[in-house]
Amino acid sequence: YNGGFANALMSKDLGLALREAARANSALPMTDLAQQLYLRMMEEDEKMQYKDFSSIYQFLQRMQQPPSPLKS
């Protein structure tokens, strides 16, 4: 599902919210964490910036999978 609101736009909006919160001396720790996750996802796969923001769920599922055992 490609959807309509790209991850890059979500990350931008999260950044805007964080910037305005900082100007108001407010902390938004969950917003900060969410932006970190979106940025990491897009760093690991550049194509993800164009996918719908709901694709973060697939990224989180992959993060929870145990690493593959090393082949001898």
Side-chain angles (χ1 to χ4, degrees), residues 8-72:
L9 294 175
M10 175 59 81
S11 180
K12 176 192 67 81
D13 286 355
L14 291 168
L16 292 172
L18 289 168
R19 185 182 72 198
E20 291 304 311
R23 287 178 51 185
N25 293 317
S26 295
L28 298 176
M30 296 303 290
T31 303
D32 185 46
L33 178 59
Q35 188 188 37
Q36 289 177 44
L37 287 169
Y38 277 97
L39 290 172
R40 180 174 169 189
M41 177 178 63
M42 292 185 293
E43 285 173 3
E44 290 184 12
D45 184 353
E46 193 174 294
K47 295 176 200 164
M48 292 304 290
Q49 65 183 322
Y50 305 109
K51 297 286 186 181
D52 186 74
F53 75 102
S54 63
S55 62
I56 192 75
Y57 292 110
Q58 294 169 340
F59 176 71
L60 293 172
Q61 286 176 334
R62 285 195 308 268
M63 286 180 62
Q64 290 192 350
Q65 292 177 354
S68 302
L70 295 175
K71 294 181 182 178
S72 307

